[in-house]
């Protein structure tokens, strides 16, 4: 494990100026401590698991051992190149976006910009202190956008927490100019109903549209009143981002959506949306519902189909299209990211991924369930573990995804055969604690230009997969990647 500490410029953002509101956070625990260079973790190759094909040289022999505290284990086809901890920000690490040779990593206290020109030796360029969980992050050209879903005293980076019951409280999105990566400039803020837990960029003519996902309204919240059955849409002019504005609130669930039951969460908005602009489609993970949308008009998305899984899905969390757009992988965040749900007692169909095929044409397209996928390596009762953020690995002719599972680590799995998904590689650390359930692990794991980048609570992990099934993906080079704005890779 390599620990790098690079010079950086710290920026405290100036105020912008706008309105007020609420938020609902699944995880607000502080990030786990980063091991120092004087006490590096044990690294052990455990190239198999109980369901591995022992004839597969990448997986090797089977092992069901749970690694020790902070012990690193991985399959033979995964290499651990680096871990770079944050120097200033101490909040929970969240999502990742990419532009050219840089990775932008959100943090509940702000965001960090990493130079990844040399993936084996990434370095910190800038850390920006601007609290507002989750600080879900995306970039487009010289713009960087953050989601704020914690009730703040105002929209500035100097704001403090404020009860959502106060009319003057603020939540929404913040917009930065990152023309100078060493000195990002805060240029705009837009308040949105119920804040912004996550957001998705949809390109438009001369502007980028921001689909804002938020949820959990309450009658006592002045700026987050029920029913909250849709998404806010913000328009950010590319040449005048300071003029960003809310253009609509689109109702996606006129009937109120899934009502909730003993297993599943009632729908009161969306948690995350993935757009596939080239296909004019988007898939929404909306608490108790999974939806497919037509986004031909970015300002007026239309729901084409909607599915529910009252038996196995507790909280529809995120979505990923296959390369050709014929499939959608939805994730279920059972336990809200803070529970130990990758145990033998929970089983393989809860806190998992659901694989769906898109059938039919036009407005008659339907989502058809095929199977579940969950990591086959059981985790300790002290480890928070559940399906979380991932992206495609754009291997030619295959459907392969890399995905975070909090303390379940990073899983690389194939769903080319939708009925029989299989793990083909993994990287995992032992529990943060072997005495009590403690939050930690990887929030997002994304493939970008030949490497896997994981926003682990200890820092930015850089991994490399070397496998005949994924090697063709190395030829795909992107200049920008926001995973929730899915590109046409080929």
């Amino acid at each position: 494990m390599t620990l790098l500490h690079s010079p950086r410029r710290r920026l405290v953002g100036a105020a912008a100026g706008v309105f007020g509101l609420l938020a609902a956070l699944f995880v607000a625990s502080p990030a786990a401590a980063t091991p120092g260079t004087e006490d590096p973790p044990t690294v052990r190759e455990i190239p198999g698991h109980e369901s591995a094909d022992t004839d597969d040289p990448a997986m090797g022999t089977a092992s069901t051992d749970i690694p020790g505290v902070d012990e690193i284990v991985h399959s033979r086809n995964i290499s651990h190149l680096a871990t770079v901890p944050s120097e200033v920000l101490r909040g929970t690490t969240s999502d990742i976006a990419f532009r050219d040779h840089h990775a932008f990593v959100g943090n509940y206290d702000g965001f960090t910009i990493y130079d990844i020109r040399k993936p084996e030796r990434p370095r910190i360029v800038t850390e920006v202190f601007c609290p507002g969980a989750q600080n879900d992050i995306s970039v487009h050209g010289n713009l960087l956008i953050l989601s704020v879903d914690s009730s703040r005293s105002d929209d500035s980076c100097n704001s403090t927490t404020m009860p959502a019951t106060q009319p003057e409280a603020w939540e929404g999105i913040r917009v930065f100019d990152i023309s100078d990566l060493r000195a990002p400039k805060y240029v705009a803020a837009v308040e949105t109903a119920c804040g912004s837990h996550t957001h998705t960029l949809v390109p438009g003519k001369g502007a980028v549209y921001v689909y804002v996902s938020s949820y959990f309204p309450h009658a006592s919240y002045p700026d987050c009143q029920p029913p909250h059955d849709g998404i806010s849409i913000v328009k950010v002019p590319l040449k005048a981002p300071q003029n960003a504005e809310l253009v609509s609130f689109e109702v996606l669930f006129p009937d109120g959506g899934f009502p909730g039951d003993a297993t599943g969460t009632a729908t009161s908005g969306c948690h995350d949306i993935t757009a596939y602009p080239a296909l004019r489609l988007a898939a929404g993970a909306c608490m108790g519902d999974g939806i497919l949308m037509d986004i031909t008009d970015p300002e007026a998305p239309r729901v084409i189909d909607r599915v529910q899984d009252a038996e196995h899905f507790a909280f529809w969390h995120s979505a990923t299209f296959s390369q050709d757009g014929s499939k959608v992988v939805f994730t279920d965040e059972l336990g809200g990211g803070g529970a130990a749900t990758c145990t033998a007692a929970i089983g393989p169909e809860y806190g998992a991924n659901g694989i769906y095929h898109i059938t039919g044409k036009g407005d008659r397209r339907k989502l058809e369930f095929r199977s579940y996928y969950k990591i086959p390596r059981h985790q300790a009762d002290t480890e928070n573990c559940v399906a979380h953020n991932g992206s495609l690995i754009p291997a030619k002719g295959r459907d392969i995804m890399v995905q975070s599972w909090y303390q379940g680590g990073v899983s690389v799995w194939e769903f080319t055969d939708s009925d029989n998904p299989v793990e083909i590689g993994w990287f995992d650390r032992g529990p943060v604690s072997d005495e009590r359930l403690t939050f930690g692990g990887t929030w997002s794991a994304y493939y970008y230009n030949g490497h896997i980048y994981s926003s682990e609570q200890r820092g930015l992990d850089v991994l490399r997969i070397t496998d005949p099934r994924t090697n063709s993906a190395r030829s795909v080079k992107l200049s920008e990647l926001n995973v929730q704005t899915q590109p046409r890779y080929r």
Side-chain angles (χ1 to χ4, degrees):
M1 176 174 177
T2 304
L3 297 177
L4 302 177
H5 298 269
S6 302
R8 49 91 187 99
R9 177 180 297 179
R10 180 173 51 178
L11 172 73
V12 177
V18 213
F19 320 93
L21 159 69
L22 140 83
L25 300 175
F26 268 129
V27 180
S29 307
T34 303
T37 53
E38 73 285 355
D39 186 24
T42 301
V43 179
R44 178 163 55 104
E45 186 177 276
I46 299 183
H49 52 62
E50 59 194 28
S51 66
D53 180 352
T54 56
D55 293 328
D56 184 343
M59 303 303 281
T61 57
S63 172
T64 58
D65 293 342
I66 292 175
V69 172
D70 286 337
E71 182 183 16
I72 291 175
V73 297
H74 56 83
S75 55
R76 290 176 185 165
N77 55 0
I78 299 286
S79 302
H80 179 209
L81 303 184
T83 299
V84 186
S86 173
E87 295 178 351
V88 175
L89 305 179
R90 291 293 178 260
T92 299
T93 302
S94 58
D95 209 7
I96 316 174
F98 303 90
R99 192 194 73 180
D100 298 326
H101 302 294
H102 293 88
F104 303 79
V105 181
N107 184 286
Y108 279 35
D109 284 343
F111 63 93
T112 302
I113 302 174
Y114 294 87
D115 185 328
I116 55 173
R117 196 177 312 269
K118 297 179 179 179
E120 70 282 1
R121 294 194 298 275
R123 63 182 182 85
I124 293 175
V125 176
T126 308
E127 291 186 87
V128 177
F129 181 78
C130 195
Q134 302 181 142
N135 276 334
D136 192 63
I137 195 167
S138 61
V139 295
H140 184 67
N142 287 325
L143 299 180
L144 180 148
I145 297 173
L146 296 177
S147 283
V148 179
D149 194 22
S150 62
S151 191
R152 313 297 300 176
S153 57
D154 56 50
D155 61 15
S156 77
C157 289
N158 298 315
S159 65
T160 58
T161 58
M162 174 177 280
T165 53
Q166 300 299 310
E168 62 271 27
W170 183 89
E171 294 176 275
I173 66 164
R174 292 168 171 153
V175 182
F176 288 79
D177 183 325
I178 52 172
S179 301
D180 183 351
L181 293 178
R182 292 189 173 274
K185 297 179 181 178
Y186 184 7
V187 297
V190 179
E191 181 190 30
T192 57
C194 299
S196 176
H197 194 68
T198 66
H199 68 266
T200 303
L201 301 188
V202 178
K205 187 175 182 180
V208 62
Y209 291 92
V210 184
Y211 286 8
V212 175
S213 294
S214 55
Y215 50 92
F216 282 160
H218 195 275
S220 66
Y221 303 152
D223 301 307
C224 185
Q225 292 286 300
H228 181 72
D229 47 14
I231 59 172
S232 297
I233 299 180
V234 173
K235 182 178 182 180
V236 183
L238 298 180
K239 294 184 178 180
Q242 68 275 11
N243 295 329
E245 62 176 346
L246 179 70
V247 293
S248 69
F249 182 88
E250 293 299 308
V251 174
L252 304 179
F253 303 98
D255 64 352
F258 183 66
D261 60 17
T263 302
T265 308
T267 298
S268 60
C270 289
H271 179 275
D272 211 343
I273 293 170
T274 292
Y276 199 151
L279 299 181
R280 299 180 180 179
L281 287 176
C286 302
M287 305 179 73
D289 293 89
I291 59 174
L292 183 67
M293 292 185 285
D294 183 311
I295 57 170
T296 301
D297 180 352
E299 291 191 25
R302 296 186 301 107
V303 176
I304 300 172
D305 193 31
R306 189 173 90 188
V307 289
Q308 300 171 350
D309 185 347
E311 182 179 0
H312 291 111
F313 263 45
F315 190 93
W316 295 69
H317 178 275
S318 53
T320 302
F321 287 95
S322 60
Q323 289 191 67
D324 64 0
S326 66
K327 306 175 185 178
V328 181
V329 175
F330 288 104
T331 68
D332 172 26
E333 195 182 40
L334 173 68
T341 71
C342 298
T343 62
I346 297 295
E349 296 181 335
Y350 299 90
N353 298 321
I355 303 168
Y356 287 77
H357 280 197
I358 300 174
T359 62
K361 296 182 179 180
D363 287 352
R364 294 186 177 182
R365 283 172 284 192
K366 298 291 183 183
L367 291 164
E368 179 185 282
F369 175 77
R370 299 300 292 268
S371 68
Y372 297 105
Y373 169 78
K374 189 173 182 179
I375 55 172
R377 295 163 289 108
H378 292 149
Q379 305 295 303
D381 291 337
T382 60
E383 293 181 284
N384 62 306
C385 176
V386 74
H388 214 238
N389 294 341
S391 77
L392 291 182
I393 295 180
K396 188 174 183 180
R398 293 178 178 269
D399 294 319
I400 298 177
M401 188 171 174
V402 59
Q403 185 176 7
S404 284
W405 291 77
Y406 284 113
Q407 286 193 73
V410 174
S411 175
V412 178
W413 62 285
E414 181 167 8
F415 59 105
T416 305
D417 179 351
S418 300
D419 297 323
N420 297 286
V422 61
E423 183 171 72
I424 64 175
W426 77 92
F427 175 86
D428 192 11
R429 282 184 172 88
V432 173
S433 170
D434 58 5
E435 297 178 352
R436 61 186 178 87
L437 179 61
T438 305
F439 175 75
T442 171
W443 185 284
S444 298
Y446 298 149
Y447 184 92
Y448 180 70
N449 292 353
H451 292 82
I452 294 167
Y453 297 89
S454 166
S455 50
E456 227 276 353
Q457 299 311 308
R458 294 167 178 81
L460 180 68
D461 274 335
V462 184
L463 311 175
R464 183 174 177 87
I465 182 167
T466 303
D467 191 287
R469 291 160 290 196
T470 63
N471 289 343
S472 62
R474 296 177 185 172
S475 65
V476 177
K477 301 297 182 183
L478 302 176
S479 59
E480 182 177 292
L481 177 64
N482 300 294
V483 168
Q484 288 75 31
T485 306
Q486 196 164 311
R488 189 190 289 275
Y489 288 98
R490 297 180 180 276

